Amino acid sequence: MHRLGTIAVHGGQSDDPITKARAVPIYQTTSYLFDSTEHAANLFALKDTGNIYTRIMNPTSDVLEKRVAQLEGGKAGLAVASGMAAITLSILNIAEPGDEIVSSSQLYGGTYTLFSSTLAKMGIKVHLVDSTDPDNFSAHVSDKTKAFFGETIGNPSLDVFDVERISELAHDAGVPLIVDNTAATPILCRPIDYGADVVVNSLTKFMGGHGTSIGGLIVDAATFDWTNGKFHDLTEPDATYNGLVYTDAFGWLAYLVKARVHLLRDMGPALSPFNAFLTLQGLESLHLRMARHSENALHVAKFLSDHEGVEWVSYPGLESHRSYALAQKYLPKGASALVGFGVKGGYEAAVKFIEHVKLFSHLANIGDAKSLVVHPASTTHQQLSPQERALAGVSDDFVRLSVGIEDIEDIIEDIDQALACTS
Ligand SMILES: *Cc1c(COP(=O)(O)O)cnc(C)c1O
């Protein structure tokens, strides 16, 4: 197996025998010809593998799935329409009404409402716990628990998830650990190396890297034993495939195959082949960009720490961060692009900062090559009461940066001039 930078450029692609195309072709097709009625019947019965319909598989997405799976150190991948679709399917694949999940409470906003509202309405109870004490996960285990969940770098506090310890606790409970690795990407951290069983990514962020395409991907480490008696959907006959049993037919890959052929078939959040292509373009420079994002972000974090207009700075690569020791372990190559800080002067000063940046783009996204900024209290978290905002770790003075890959001198100059306007 090649090293990460080489996988980012080549992973999953084999030479096209017919056209000799060097780039990965965009297979902009909905469906694929059957050789015969027997071939068609075998494909539909999952006795043969092959392309049927782009909702379930596509040759461009296939390269992307293999490339991200290789980067993450997993065995197989499933591309879907968005990061949220990846997270939703990763849970629905093993949980049904009455089941429970234990998750870190430090979550991306969409994941937070998926867990606290949408899954709750579907009868799946998600216990949200403080992941900085891993024992909180074990404390919420019951015989209905189906998975543990967390983000490599949690939102918005940027706490680093103790993947190794929490995966041990998950396995003690007989359940898989699912990790959202969007903020770190496999270039900076591979959760599977520390025991995670399933990794989900929003391709929309660093992987695509240029703010052009929404997408998501599930990677299966194929290390979890689904036959331990807890996962009936994987070990009992699926009536919609003539009584096929996933663990019998697909062994360690039962989880990923079921997510594709059952959930993607029925729920349908497929990735478009064009977005798969754009994401592949982005992946080719992922290793270069993550190094530059991290280098620039550390520089910005240090600059802000020394600035008199700044109240506090949060960056896991700074010794002052409570996750610094975990960052040294899990993110030795860099702590990614996200930096939080408090502007002296509270809400008004934070708003002034946002209004005066010129290079930074004011929007709700992360992971673009461009530098981005958002003031959560006036945007993503404005609907919450001051008490709820405090619980979510969103103070009025809090500004979040996603530091881009521009020249660091220009980034610092922009922050400096905008801070000068806040006092
Ligand atoms: C953006 C994001 C998601 C959701 O991804 P989409 O592609 O926008 O659906 C999930 N988790 C994290 C950590 C994110 O940053």
Side-chain angles (χ1 to χ4, degrees):
M1 182 63 72
H2 285 124
R3 294 163 183 79
L4 287 180
T6 310
I7 296 171
V9 178
H10 293 278
Q13 188 184 9
S14 39
D15 297 339
D16 185 325
I18 297 170
T19 66
K20 309 283 182 191
R22 177 63 282 203
V24 177
I26 305 171
Y27 288 92
Q28 194 69 31
T29 183
T30 56
S31 33
Y32 309 85
L33 293 167
F34 303 127
D35 297 339
S36 63
T37 46
E38 190 195 352
H39 178 227
N42 283 339
L43 286 175
F44 273 89
L46 303 182
K47 287 182 186 154
D48 249 350
T49 48
N51 293 319
I52 301 175
Y53 194 62
T54 283
R55 181 169 359 97
I56 305 172
M57 72 277 275
N58 173 277
T60 311
S61 300
D62 181 61
V63 178
L64 176 65
E65 288 164 347
K66 292 194 165 101
R67 188 169 298 180
V68 175
Q70 287 176 20
L71 285 170
E72 290 284 7
K75 286 288 183 302
L78 177 64
V80 292
S82 66
M84 287 317 303
I87 295 166
T88 304
L89 296 198
S90 78
I91 303 282
L92 292 185
N93 205 31
I94 43 175
E96 58 186 26
D99 285 343
E100 300 180 1
I101 305 292
V102 189
S103 171
S104 166
S105 60
Q106 294 185 25
L107 293 169
Y108 172 72
T111 311
Y112 194 94
T113 49
L114 169 69
F115 285 2
S116 62
S117 168
T118 303
L119 288 187
K121 278 189 198 157
M122 297 169 80
I124 299 168
K125 160 104 188 123
V126 182
H127 298 276
L128 296 169
V129 304
D130 177 358
S131 59
T132 58
D133 180 359
D135 290 336
N136 288 335
F137 280 81
S138 306
H140 288 83
V141 168
S142 76
D143 57 2
K144 294 178 181 139
T145 308
K146 291 296 164 77
F148 287 3
F149 187 97
E151 297 179 359
T152 321
I153 305 175
N155 184 61
S157 63
L158 309 181
D159 278 318
V160 178
F161 195 73
D162 193 346
V163 183
E164 192 162 43
R165 180 75 192 117
I166 296 168
S167 72
E168 284 166 9
L169 296 174
H171 299 154
D172 288 347
V175 301
L177 172 63
I178 305 173
V179 175
D180 179 338
N181 198 31
T182 303
T185 82
I187 300 300
L188 300 178
C189 178
R190 301 207 307 178
I192 288 172
D193 291 346
Y194 299 99
D197 304 285
V198 174
V199 170
V200 289
N201 271 291
S202 168
L203 304 171
T204 314
K205 313 295 172 56
F206 296 99
M207 286 198 168
H210 300 79
T212 63
S213 318
I214 304 276
L217 210 132
I218 305 172
V219 172
D220 188 348
T223 46
F224 190 79
D225 180 8
W226 302 104
T227 64
N228 67 3
K230 281 178 164 291
F231 301 94
H232 305 294
D233 277 357
L234 292 168
T235 56
E236 286 173 15
D238 182 346
T240 72
Y241 279 110
N242 299 324
L244 172 125
V245 173
Y246 291 100
T247 46
D248 289 349
F250 304 104
W252 294 94
L253 280 174
Y255 174 90
L256 196 90
V257 173
K258 177 177 174 264
R260 181 190 298 280
V261 301
H262 195 118
L263 289 187
L264 205 46
R265 177 195 63 188
D266 295 358
M267 297 185 151
L271 184 70
S272 110
F274 188 61
N275 279 13
F277 171 81
L278 289 172
T279 306
L280 284 164
Q281 297 304 293
L283 281 177
E284 292 190 9
S285 61
L286 183 66
H287 51 306
L288 304 177
R289 287 185 287 106
M290 292 317 292
R292 178 70 169 242
H293 277 298
S294 299
E295 183 190 320
N296 281 355
L298 180 62
H299 204 108
V300 165
K302 286 181 175 160
F303 173 80
L304 291 170
S305 302
D306 293 339
H307 199 290
E308 56 180 18
V310 171
E311 199 77 61
W312 55 270
V313 182
S314 168
Y315 185 64
L318 284 186
E319 276 175 54
S320 57
H321 196 279
R322 67 174 172 177
S323 271
Y324 181 69
L326 288 170
Q328 295 295 104
K329 170 173 177 174
Y330 291 106
L331 302 163
K333 290 188 276 180
S336 197
L338 308 180
V339 178
F341 71 101
V343 188
K344 244 178 218 161
Y347 190 97
E348 301 301 324
V351 167
K352 269 193 199 145
F353 176 83
I354 302 265
E355 281 171 354
H356 285 91
V357 286
K358 297 191 177 99
L359 184 62
F360 277 79
S361 307
H362 179 206
L363 49 74
N365 190 23
I366 61 168
D368 197 314
K370 302 173 180 74
S371 286
L372 315 175
V373 62
V374 74
H375 178 225
S378 65
T379 55
T380 51
H381 291 68
Q382 61 157 278
Q383 304 296 340
L384 304 187
S385 68
Q387 291 87 335
E388 286 173 319
R389 279 208 287 271
L391 269 180
V394 173
S395 52
D396 281 352
D397 62 350
F398 170 42
V399 170
R400 191 197 65 202
L401 307 176
S402 175
V403 179
I405 61 172
E406 301 96 338
D407 284 302
I408 186 63
E409 295 83 355
D410 293 322
I411 294 173
I412 296 287
E413 275 170 30
D414 192 40
I415 293 174
D416 199 26
Q417 65 80 23
L419 276 174
C421 304
T422 63
S423 50

